Amino acid sequence: PLALTATEAALKGRTPEPATIKELAAAAAETLDPPSDLHADARYRRRAARALIARAIETAALRAGRA
């Protein structure tokens, strides 16, 4: 697990609109430095991370009743 405290802080006080979620997920994914190997390159892993981060933000917003 990885704590994305900068993403959490940036979301605080903001409505989790789709554009906001996309922006924050992209920024968070760019901070990652995943390895490349025979299964996937770093670029693919960053894109996957961006999608997973966006999904996590959406899920958290739904659970908090803010979406």
Side-chain angles (χ1 to χ4, degrees):
L2 182 64
L4 298 170
T5 53
T7 304
E8 293 173 20
L11 187 57
K12 203 172 269 189
R14 294 172 76 178
T15 304
E17 304 281 337
T20 302
I21 292 170
K22 185 177 178 180
E23 170 193 332
L24 292 174
E30 285 305 312
T31 67
L32 304 177
D33 187 24
S36 290
D37 63 19
L38 67 110
H39 300 291
D41 64 14
R43 185 171 152 228
Y44 172 81
R45 290 174 194 256
R46 249 186 244 98
R47 283 194 317 252
R50 183 173 56 227
L52 292 171
I53 292 165
R55 188 181 307 165
I57 294 170
E58 291 166 357
T59 300
L62 285 172
R63 288 181 181 168
R66 295 183 61 194

